[in-house]
Every structure is written in structure tokens, then in C-alpha cells.
Amino acid sequence: MPTSIDVFAKARENERIEQLKAARELGAVPYFHVLEGPTLPVVEMEGMRRIMLGSNNYLGLTGDERVRQGAIDAVNKYGTGLTGSRFLNGTIDLHLELEHELAQWLGTEDALVFTTGHQANLGALGTLLGPGDTVIADSGDHASILDGCILSRAKLRPFRHGRMHLLEKALDRATGDGGGILVVVDGVFSMEGDVAPLPEIVELCARYGARLMVDEAHALGVLGARGAGTCELFGVEDRVDLRMATFSKSLASCGGVIAGAADVIEYLRIQSRPFMFTAASVPAAVGAALAAVRICRSEEGPALFARVLDNARYLHDGLTALGFHVVEPTRLNDGSDVVTPVVPVLVGDDWKAAFLWKALYEAGVFVNTALHPAVPPAGALLRTSVMATHDRTTLDQALETFAQVKQAFESEHGPLPSRQ
Ligand SMILES: Cc1ncc(COP(=O)(O)O)c(C=O)c1O
């Protein structure tokens, strides 16, 4: 008898579809807005000049002449696409140079370049973990980490974001699961912009015999004296087994990397399905990423890292002074704090977040809106982020807009969350 169940029914019945329809009618959909030029501190978007506080172009390198030239030279030499996987027919010398330079930068034995960061997480976790193993992940980890864990069919033991006693409890339980254990955390969490307490995490992993992988997507090219990320910042590079990063943020391109011990990387090279069964990243993407890596590793790098963090601090302080509830930089045990380019404004309610986004957008400031599942339920936030290339005049204009919008918004919708 034919089934009466339509697998497409969910496309009609999903509650998000109704919400999207309603938001569309109100002109309050914060997603899929169209850029009409490069992602720079100020962009043309849907017919208007807007200040861009919603990109991951942390160093502003998408507009850098050398990075653009890296892409152009790669297209001129290799054409527009490679039409096959790295494994079979899509490896060019630029992939190998990039892998070599990334391994040097990160101080690892080897590195493997994937077509996207999402695939790098899928390809590492889905290959190194198996059904008998346990993977322990922070609940704030990026979706691609969760996807990799699911792909692997390892036992997943999530722990509540940043709670070290819960990580320890998970490790303790995992030792009874009977397989290998991998802990995987974001170095900088993508939505809240906070930093994983790596010194404590490496200690716990060592105590329980677990391997550790750190996703440096939002930290590479930003944190640490060399810009090598949170592992460098905390001085634990030699105690972290695998490092992942993307090229889609500071490196102004698209692609991902897994870096670590030579034997592990070699194994991924010949076994990782998300590496082997997808087309190699296009020459332009690799050429641009390589040029960006070289800028980060040059004398110019540290000044760029300092500038983006300085801008982040300025925006954080400015928004806090206006009375917004801004996520605080992570405080370290020694009393100092770690600023990252991600400066989130907590809103809480999904609809309020959408309306606040709309008011800012109409006033000429673009920010990102994060709703569940990107953040916990009722934890909606506007994720602002800065570039090294934002100047103070532009940030001041953005702050002025936030001030005006807040006043008008609160008189219509009631108060926004504040710090106390
Ligand atoms: C923490 C983190 N990991 C992985 C990824 C995936 O990277 P990509 O965009 O290169 O696929 C992202 C991207 O948003 C991210 O924020």
C-alpha cells in the first residue's frame, strides 16, 4: 500500500515558515539582504550606503590589493575552477603552498586544505571519530562541529557552554564509554564572541587521556602575537592535538584547514570523505587566502590584529555607554580580559531582535541577527562585528545611529535588556 506520509510536508508545516511569512509582511527579515559591492566597512546594500557591522572580514582584507591580485593571478594561471576533487584532479601548487604556510604559521607538522570550513569540521570529526568513540562538545560550538559529530556516529556528550565542571563530569563519564575520547571546542565562540578557557581544558583532557581539537575560525588572524589564534594566545599550542580554521573570516576568502600531526593529516588526506568527494576550492579562493596568510605573517600582521581588537573594544565600550546589554569580553584568571571582533548585543526576544535589526538597517547600519538555534532559546542577539579597516568616524556614526534607534525603539516596544 502506498504511504500517506509526504516527506515534503515539513516544508509546509515548519513553524519557521509561518514566522518568515509574517516577518516578510512586516519587512523585518534580517536575512538574505543583497550586497552590491565588496564587503568593506561601508557597503552598498539594496540601494543605500550602510555601515557594515555584520561581516567576518575582520582584517578588512577582502579589499586589499594584494589579496585581490592573489585571486586574479590564480585565475589567470589556473582558470575559474578545478572541476574535480583535490584527491583526483583538483590539486594545484597553490593548495600545497597554502598548506605548507598554514602549518608553519600554526606550528604544526602538516595541514590539509578543504573547500570550506564546514567541510573541514565534517571531514576531521567524521573521519577520526567512529561509533565506538566519545566526542565531548561545548553547547556553544559551531553547527559544523555538531554536524561532524553526528556524521561520525560517535557518542556525543555535550556540556553546557563554558562550564568546566560539566566538561569534567562528561570526561569522567566518557572514560566508561569504552572508546577514544575527543573534546572539541570553538576557540572564539561565533555568536557570543567569548573565548574558551583553553588552559583549563588542556589540563582536563590530559587528566582523562582525551584528545583536543580547537576551532579557530574566529581567532585565526586575530588573537595571539602571531595571529595564530586562541591556542597561541594561551600558550597551549603544543598541547592541542588538532586545530581547525576557515579562510572565510580574517583570510578574506573561502575554504578551511585542519592542522596537526603528520600521521593524522595523512590519514585524513586519504580517508576523509568531505575532503575526497567534493570539488577542490577554486583557484581564486586559494590565491586570495594565500596572499592573506602572507600579510598576516608579515610585519604588517600584528598591527592589523591590534587594530581590529582596538575597534572591537571601542564599539563594545560605546554600545555599553548607550545602555545596551553587550556581552562582556572573557575575563581571565589573572584579571585581564580578551576582546574579540565579535561584539554581541543581547535582545532576548526573537521579534524584538528582528524589529531592532530593521530599525538599524533602515537607519543605515547592517548587523547580524542570531536567533535559536544559533543561540539558546530566548537568547536572541544582534551580532555586531568590526574590521581593522573601520575608522573612528564610521564607528562613531554607527554608535550615533544605535543611540537614535534605541530611543525610538524603546518608546514603541518597551525597554531593551540592560546590564543591570
Ligand atoms: C566557529 C566556526 N567554525 C566553522 C565555520 C564554518 O566555516 P565556513 O564558513 O568556512 O564553512 C564557521 C563559519 O561560520 C564558524 O563560525
Side-chain angles (χ1 to χ4, degrees), residues 49-71:
R49 169 196 182 273
R50 302 181 208 260
I51 297 174
M52 173 51 85
L53 293 183
S55 102
N56 300 311
N57 182 19
Y58 299 136
L59 301 181
L61 292 179
T62 58
D64 186 279
E65 266 316 308
R66 294 158 296 179
V67 176
R68 293 163 79 114
Q69 196 58 47

Side-chain angles (χ1 to χ4, degrees), residues 154-166:
K155 183 176 179 61
L156 174 61
R157 288 188 177 275
F159 65 98
R160 189 154 168 224
H161 178 49
R163 306 297 199 282
M164 289 301 100
H165 67 287
L166 297 180

Side-chain angles (χ1 to χ4, degrees), residues 76-145:
N76 287 342
K77 183 160 179 196
Y78 296 101
T80 52
L82 294 164
T83 72
S85 94
R86 291 282 315 276
F87 188 67
L88 277 180
N89 48 19
T91 293
I92 53 176
D93 62 357
L94 294 179
H95 287 110
L96 304 182
E97 278 175 51
L98 184 56
E99 286 170 346
H100 179 68
E101 295 212 18
L102 284 163
Q104 278 193 337
W105 188 15
L106 295 169
T108 58
E109 286 177 359
D110 204 354
L112 188 62
V113 163
F114 289 71
T115 304
T116 69
H118 187 281
Q119 284 169 328
N121 273 334
L122 235 55
L125 295 163
T127 310
L128 291 166
L129 294 164
D133 297 316
T134 297
V135 57
I136 301 177
D138 186 296
S139 63
D141 281 353
H142 188 258
S144 55
I145 292 178

Side-chain angles (χ1 to χ4, degrees), residues 56 58 114-121 140-145 185-191 215-219 244-249 253-257 383:
N56 300 311
Y58 299 136
F114 289 71
T115 304
T116 69
H118 187 281
Q119 284 169 328
N121 273 334
D141 281 353
H142 188 258
S144 55
I145 292 178
V185 293
D186 285 5
V188 171
F189 289 89
S190 50
M191 292 298 133
D215 177 331
E216 299 278 25
H218 297 272
M244 176 274 173
T246 80
F247 311 154
S248 60
K249 308 190 191 304
S253 181
C254 190
V257 63
R383 179 191 187 273

Side-chain angles (χ1 to χ4, degrees), residues 112 114 117-129 148-149 151-152 182 213 242-244 257-259 264-265 267-268 272-275:
L112 188 62
F114 289 71
H118 187 281
Q119 284 169 328
N121 273 334
L122 235 55
L125 295 163
T127 310
L128 291 166
L129 294 164
C149 296
L151 180 69
S152 76
L182 178 76
M213 172 170 161
L242 270 191
R243 280 186 281 165
M244 176 274 173
V257 63
I258 299 289
V264 175
I265 300 301
Y267 175 65
L268 293 179
S272 176
R273 295 168 66 89
F275 174 75

Side-chain angles (χ1 to χ4, degrees), residues 367-415:
V367 301
N368 285 133
T369 307
L371 310 178
H372 181 70
V375 290
L381 56 84
L382 296 189
R383 179 191 187 273
T384 75
S385 51
V386 287
M387 306 177 201
T389 43
H390 275 113
D391 59 28
R392 284 295 149 90
T393 312
T394 307
L395 291 181
D396 285 338
Q397 273 174 20
L399 286 167
E400 179 59 34
T401 305
F402 265 93
Q404 288 164 6
V405 163
K406 183 173 192 284
Q407 202 179 27
F409 184 90
E410 288 186 326
S411 62
E412 190 180 344
H413 299 280

